[in-house]
Amino acid sequence: MTPLILTDATEAAAAVADRIVSLVQSKPDAVLGLATGATMEPVYAAVIAAHRAGRVSFSRVSSFNLDEYVALPTEHPGSYRSTMNRLLFEHIDIDPARTHVPDGMANDTDAAAEAYERQILQAGGIDLQLLGIGRNGHIGFNEPGSRLDSRTRRVELHAETLTANRAFFEDGGVPQQAITMGIATILSARSIIVLATGAAKKAAINQALAGFFTPACPASALVGHPDVTWIVDPAAAPDAEAA
Ligand code: GLP
């Protein structure tokens, strides 16, 4: 569980983008698990650049995003569906019908969550899951206290998450609930890359890489997965004894 420490956030994002591009080059119908958050923005910019340079086509790729806010209209610029369209999907040749984001507007969120799990299975499972990490150690929207066997479900967001994500909402009205893949859903991916940049993530990274699962830090659940790559910048790098 030694992270790759790259020179800065741009290099770290480029390394993640390279892995996505390599996977799709070798498996053109790959199933990608995608994430939102400011950390991912330079990753998607680098993926778009690779596509524009003719290095990779996404025409046969499927994608599943980790999470979505509940009761936030899809057209709202803060919804993860519109964020993904704006930052990635509209700029590459992926088939929009093969891009999946949990349906936060569903009348029956339990049924929508179950349907999402089924869709992932029907697609053959996720080849590569991209993950950021919350300041409180959350992955997707699995907040501290989430169970190891959790699957896609409706969750309440913790106060620190609401504060962190308020920046994405001009009116400050960040939704308080979300639908997220569960920890077990995430652990079902064949491989996982975690990207963390900036000093605000250092404490979470330290806990995540301590080598054992603690419910206080959902990212620590990744200790149980055989193929996880951690990519950080120097500011987010763990203390030597935790690495
Ligand atoms: C959000 C998302 C997570 C993301 C995390 C970090 O709440 N649900 O998937 O990894 O917070 O976001 P950021 O990169 O903006 O710090």
Side-chain angles (χ1 to χ4, degrees):
M1 299 269 280
T2 308
L4 290 174
I5 305 175
L6 297 183
T7 45
D8 57 31
T10 308
E11 289 298 316
V16 175
D18 277 350
R19 285 173 184 244
I20 296 171
V21 168
S22 300
L23 170 66
V24 176
Q25 285 169 338
S26 64
K27 187 176 183 190
D29 60 349
V31 180
L32 301 178
L34 298 178
T36 47
T39 312
M40 297 303 153
E41 296 188 14
V43 174
Y44 296 144
V47 167
I48 293 166
H51 171 66
R52 288 192 174 145
R55 287 178 53 211
V56 63
S57 168
F58 293 86
S59 61
R60 293 171 57 204
V61 164
S62 304
S63 71
F64 288 88
N65 263 77
L66 283 165
D67 45 18
E68 178 59 285
Y69 292 111
V70 163
L72 182 68
T74 308
E75 319 73 63
H76 190 289
S79 82
Y80 285 169
R81 164 51 79 183
S82 32
T83 301
M84 290 305 301
N85 288 348
R86 190 171 64 242
L87 295 180
L88 181 63
F89 300 149
E90 286 167 4
H91 309 285
I92 59 174
D93 60 344
I94 197 165
D95 177 355
R98 276 204 277 263
T99 66
H100 304 88
V101 179
D103 183 4
M105 290 299 287
N107 289 328
D108 184 343
T109 41
D110 290 348
E114 277 174 38
Y116 204 64
E117 289 279 337
R118 271 199 308 278
Q119 284 178 304
I120 294 172
L121 284 178
Q122 280 160 7
I126 290 170
D127 290 304
L128 175 62
Q129 177 66 56
L130 186 54
L131 286 182
I133 184 168
R135 290 161 182 72
N136 64 0
H138 73 221
I139 48 176
F141 271 134
N142 293 282
E143 298 281 29
S146 296
R147 292 169 52 111
L148 268 181
D149 61 0
S150 54
R151 288 275 166 187
T152 305
R153 69 204 184 288
R154 180 177 178 134
V155 294
E156 299 285 334
L157 302 180
H158 287 195
E160 61 269 42
T161 301
L162 298 176
T163 304
N165 288 357
R166 200 158 275 137
F168 295 99
F169 291 82
E170 274 180 10
D171 56 3
V174 52
Q176 311 222 342
Q177 294 185 329
I179 299 183
T180 183
M181 284 186 199
I183 292 181
T185 321
I186 291 168
L187 292 177
S188 300
R190 284 183 273 281
S191 65
I192 297 175
I193 300 181
V194 190
L195 173 63
T197 55
K201 303 296 172 66
K202 186 184 177 73
I205 287 288
N206 262 332
Q207 227 182 341
L209 291 177
F212 55 88
F213 173 62
T214 166
C217 178
S220 66
L222 300 173
V223 70
H225 192 284
D227 184 1
V228 184
T229 304
W230 296 80
I231 299 183
V232 301
D233 69 351
D239 296 325
E241 60 275 19

